[in-house]
Amino acid sequence: MSFTRGTVIKSFLWKWFERLSAQLIQFVVTIVLARLLLPSEYGIIALIAIFIQLCDVIIDGGLNTALIQKKNADNNDFSTIFFFSLGLSVVLYAIMFFCAPVIAHFYEQPELVPVVRVLSLSLPLYAFNSIQRAYVSKHMLFQRLFYSSLGAVVLSGAIGIFMAYHGYGVWALVGQNISSQLFTTIIMWFTVRWRPVLVFSKERFAGLFNYGWKIFGANFITSLFVNIRKLVIGKFYTPASLAYYEKGDQLPGLVMQNIFTSIQTILLPTFSEEQDDRKHVKAMMRRSTKLSCFVIYPLMVGMIVAAKPLVVFLLTEKWLPVVPFVQILCIANFFRPITISNWEAIKALGYSGTTLKLEIVKKVVDIVILCVTAFISVYAVAWGCVLFNLICVFINLAPNKKLLDYGVAEQVKDAVPTLLIALAMGVAVYWVQLLNIPNILILIIQLVLGATVYAGLSYAFKEESMMYILEMIKQNKSKIHLKR
C-alpha cells in the first residue's frame, strides 16, 4: 500500500475536520456544563480520570500502533489484537471495581467509590472500538471516523447537559463519558466495515507485541507522568484546584489535541510507508514541523493575550483562577510542534526501543521537577511543565541527528521565524483588552486583528509555510479550472 500526496492531504483534511468538528461541539458542551456545575464537581471526575486514562493506555498497549506500522497487517492480525484488548479491558474493569475503596481512601473522598465503579464501565467500550480506529488509521479512512466522532459527541453532550440541568451534579459528567464511548462503538460498527473473525494467533501476537510493548512502555510512562501531576494536585491540594489546573490545560489542549491528533494519525502511516527512504522522511518531517509551528504558535500566543476575557466570557467569573494556568500551559505548548514529528519519525522507522529509552530519560527529569514544584504551589507545578517541555526538545530531537541528519540546531532554526512573527502579532493585539468594552467585543477585535497581522507579516517576510499553503491553493484552483 502506497499513499500519494493527494491521498495524504485528503486524509489529513478529513482527520482534521473530524477532530475540529468533534472538538468544537465538545467545547460547547464543556462550556455549558461548566456553567451548570461547580469546579469541585469537575475536580471529582478529574481525580478518577487519572486512573481511567492509564487503563486506556494499557488497553492500547502499543499494539494498535504496531498494527498501523506493520506493512502487511491482515484480518488475522487485527482480530488477534481485538480479542486480546477486549479481554484485558474486562480484567482492568474488575481491578478498578475492587480498588474503588482504595482510591477513595487515598484522596479522602468516600463519595468516589460508586463513581469509580460506574465510570470504569467505559473501559470495555473503549477496547471494543480501539481496533476499528487502528483499521481506519491504517487505511486512512478518516471520513468514516468523522461520523462516529460527531455523532457520539452530540448525543453524549446532550445527555450530560440534560443530567446537569436536572441537578445530577458529578453524575452528569459520568453519564456524558460513558455514553460517548457507547455511541462511538455503535456508530463505528455500522460505518467501518471491518469485522473481527474468531482467530487468535499466538505467532501474530508475538510479532506485534515485540514492536508494540516498547511503544506501550513509552506511552504508559508519558501518560503516567502527565497524570502524576494531577494526582499530586488532587492529593495535596483541593479538587477545585485540580479543576482549575485541568481547565487551564483544557483550553490550549483543545487546540493542541485537535491539530496534533490529526498530524500524528497521518504521519505514522505515511512515514512508515517511506521508512526505507530516509531523505524523503526527513523532507516530510521538516514540512510537518514547519506547518505545525505555523498553525500552533499564533494560536498559543493569541490565547495567552486573550486568556482573561476568554475565561470570563466562556466560563463566568467563578472560573477566574483558571487564567494563569491557561497562560502558563500555552507557553509549555510552544515546544511541542518541534518534537512531535521527531517522535512519529522514530516510531515509523522501527526504532520503538529508542522511543522507550527517550521516555525513561525524560521521566527521570520530569519526576525531579515535580518533586521540587509540588511542595511550592499549584502554579509552580504548571511552570514545571514549561521547564520539562523545554528540556524535552533537546532529548527528543537528539536521535534524529543520527537517523535523519536533522539535528537540534537545524530544527530550532526552522521554527524560530514563525515564533517571532507570532510574538509580534501578540504585541499588536495586547492593547485591545485595555478598552472598556464587553469581553465578546474584545475577543472579536483581537481575533480579527491578530489574524490580519499574522497573515500580513507572514506574507511580507515570505514565511515558508505561508508560501507553501498559497502555492497549494493556487495549484488546486488550477486543477478545478482545467476540469471545467
Side-chain angles (χ1 to χ4, degrees), residues 238-308:
T238 64
S241 295
L242 178 57
Y244 295 138
Y245 178 91
E246 280 266 286
K247 283 296 177 187
D249 187 36
Q250 191 178 65
L251 288 173
L254 174 71
V255 175
M256 302 301 289
Q257 183 182 3
N258 177 44
I259 295 172
F260 281 141
T261 299
S262 301
I263 291 173
Q264 285 180 285
T265 306
I266 299 300
L267 289 185
L268 180 58
T270 304
F271 286 172
S272 296
E273 287 298 316
E274 302 291 341
Q275 58 187 275
D276 297 326
D277 187 348
R278 299 293 177 91
K279 290 184 178 180
H280 194 195
V281 172
K282 176 183 177 180
M284 290 191 296
M285 193 172 76
R286 289 193 70 185
R287 177 67 65 194
S288 66
T289 299
K290 291 179 180 180
L291 285 171
S292 298
C293 292
F294 183 75
V295 175
I296 291 295
Y297 286 163
L299 293 174
M300 292 299 100
V301 171
M303 197 169 289
I304 290 171
V305 172
K308 185 175 180 179

Side-chain angles (χ1 to χ4, degrees), residues 338 393-394 397 401 406-416:
I338 307 176
V393 170
F394 299 96
L397 273 59
K401 175 63 177 177
Y406 193 24
V408 174
E410 188 178 2
Q411 295 196 48
V412 171
K413 184 179 177 181
D414 285 342
V416 166

Side-chain angles (χ1 to χ4, degrees), residues 68-271:
I68 299 170
Q69 195 273 342
K70 185 177 179 180
K71 279 190 173 184
N72 58 344
D74 59 22
N75 204 26
N76 288 343
D77 294 298
F78 280 88
S79 297
T80 295
I81 303 305
F82 172 81
F83 289 113
F84 174 79
S85 299
L86 194 59
L88 181 60
S89 70
V90 174
V91 173
L92 290 172
Y93 175 75
I95 293 172
M96 290 293 291
F97 184 91
F98 290 109
C99 287
V102 178
I103 296 172
H105 177 73
F106 174 79
Y107 286 121
E108 299 178 356
Q109 301 279 345
E111 67 273 20
L112 286 183
V113 175
V115 181
V116 170
R117 289 173 171 171
V118 175
L119 191 59
S120 297
L121 288 170
S122 64
L123 297 176
L125 294 170
Y126 177 83
F128 197 85
N129 65 61
S130 64
I131 307 305
Q132 288 181 312
R133 292 195 304 271
Y135 183 86
V136 165
S137 295
K138 177 72 175 178
H139 297 88
M140 290 197 175
L141 303 173
F142 296 109
Q143 185 175 356
R144 313 282 177 83
L145 192 60
F146 168 78
Y147 303 117
S148 62
S149 296
L150 194 63
V153 75
V154 169
L155 295 172
S156 65
I159 289 173
I161 292 172
F162 176 84
M163 294 178 68
Y165 182 76
H166 286 85
Y168 284 91
V170 69
W171 289 102
L173 298 172
V174 174
Q176 182 201 12
N177 277 274
I178 292 179
S179 61
S180 177
Q181 289 292 348
L182 177 61
F183 289 128
T184 298
T185 301
I186 293 172
I187 297 171
M188 287 192 74
W189 184 258
F190 290 103
T191 56
V192 179
R193 293 184 178 181
W194 177 82
R195 296 290 184 271
V197 293
L198 291 175
V199 170
F200 186 91
S201 171
K202 294 181 179 179
E203 182 181 351
R204 299 290 183 91
F205 178 82
L208 292 165
F209 183 79
N210 185 52
Y211 173 87
W213 79 267
K214 300 165 189 174
I215 299 298
F216 159 72
N219 290 342
F220 184 79
I221 291 172
T222 299
S223 182
L224 177 64
F225 278 80
V226 166
N227 284 295
I228 276 180
R229 279 192 174 84
K230 299 174 184 178
L231 186 147
V232 167
I233 293 172
K235 175 63 178 176
F236 293 102
Y237 300 93
T238 64
S241 295
L242 178 57
Y244 295 138
Y245 178 91
E246 280 266 286
K247 283 296 177 187
D249 187 36
Q250 191 178 65
L251 288 173
L254 174 71
V255 175
M256 302 301 289
Q257 183 182 3
N258 177 44
I259 295 172
F260 281 141
T261 299
S262 301
I263 291 173
Q264 285 180 285
T265 306
I266 299 300
L267 289 185
L268 180 58
T270 304
F271 286 172

